[in-house]
Amino acid sequence: VNDPVYAYSYPLYDNGAWAEYMLVPVSYVSRAPASLELSRAGVVPIVGLTAHETVIDILKVHAGDIVLITNAAGGVGHLALQIAAGLGANVVATASPRNHEFVRALGAVTVFDSLSMKVVKMIRARYRQGVDKALNCVSSGSANPMVLALAEGGHMIDLTGSVSVSRPGVRIDADYVARGDGARLERVAQMIDAGRVGVVFRA
């Protein structure tokens, strides 16, 4: 009672997220990060759950992995970047030029211009065998070329569902959906409060 909490209320039909009050299963709920104002903590659940689960449990990122994160300055991207870098991965990021210093400060080892038509060619020039794992956060025609950045045996999660090509020898997951998970949100809150992950609010 009276604990500030946060939750992601999916899957629930007509989940009432715009309401002043809403009812959710207790298993969806966690104490909110103490270091964030509650109104700001409210933006964390969907991006925090997505970044944490995809990087840790699905891609199974480990130290030394070369991990590509597209749109690394975005909501999911900037959290996933920090989580992967914290695990010891070599994070390769794509971002618009104005965000290059931002993503470098978050731990990206290499940053490429997401607006360039030659971004995949540049990635393969730097990492000749390709990247081990990728979290795709770009949509439309920018997504398909990223499949070519994967190394043989590589694994990509396509969050936007925009990848429409396949390639032998690589795995592409395009059906990921974040779901309510209070235990995972607790771990995310602990990472935020410990300073291992920063949530950046930008206009």
Side-chain angles (χ1 to χ4, degrees):
V1 176
N2 295 325
D3 280 344
V5 298
Y6 69 162
Y8 178 51
S9 57
Y10 181 89
L12 280 182
Y13 183 72
D14 288 338
N15 61 25
W18 291 107
E20 186 174 358
Y21 297 96
M22 67 181 192
L23 189 66
V24 296
V26 68
S27 61
Y28 289 9
V29 178
S30 165
R31 286 186 179 86
S35 56
L36 294 179
E37 294 178 10
L38 195 56
S39 60
R40 292 195 161 218
V43 308
V44 172
I46 186 169
V47 292
L49 288 171
T50 300
H52 191 277
E53 185 173 19
T54 56
V55 169
I56 292 178
D57 291 338
I58 304 177
L59 289 175
K60 300 185 186 303
V61 170
H62 297 292
D65 284 344
I66 301 172
V67 180
L68 170 64
I69 299 177
T70 62
N71 191 21
V76 173
H78 90 285
L79 297 182
L81 190 167
Q82 294 174 78
I83 294 169
L87 293 169
N90 298 304
V91 179
V92 181
T94 70
S96 61
R98 66 188 179 91
N99 288 318
H100 283 193
E101 289 307 312
F102 171 63
V103 295
R104 282 194 185 97
L106 295 179
V109 173
T110 313
V111 184
F112 294 100
D113 183 358
S114 60
L115 303 178
S116 172
M117 299 295 290
K118 299 179 179 179
V119 63
V120 174
K121 187 175 182 179
M122 291 187 290
I123 292 171
R124 291 304 293 245
R126 174 67 177 81
Y127 301 95
R128 296 195 179 277
Q129 302 302 314
V131 301
D132 302 308
K133 294 160 186 180
L135 183 63
N136 178 55
C137 305
V138 297
S139 57
S140 189
S142 302
N144 280 340
M146 295 302 162
V147 175
L148 299 175
L150 288 169
E152 185 70 18
H155 183 187
M156 171 187 284
I157 298 176
D158 174 29
L159 290 181
T160 66
S162 298
V163 172
S164 59
V165 298
S166 59
R167 199 183 117 206
V170 302
R171 174 183 167 188
I172 302 169
D173 293 337
D175 57 356
Y176 173 80
V177 178
R179 296 183 180 273
D181 187 339
R184 191 178 301 278
L185 281 178
E186 177 71 21
R187 295 195 290 275
V188 172
Q190 290 169 354
M191 295 173 79
I192 292 169
D193 287 340
R196 299 198 304 274
V197 170
V199 182
V200 181
F201 299 87
R202 306 190 312 151

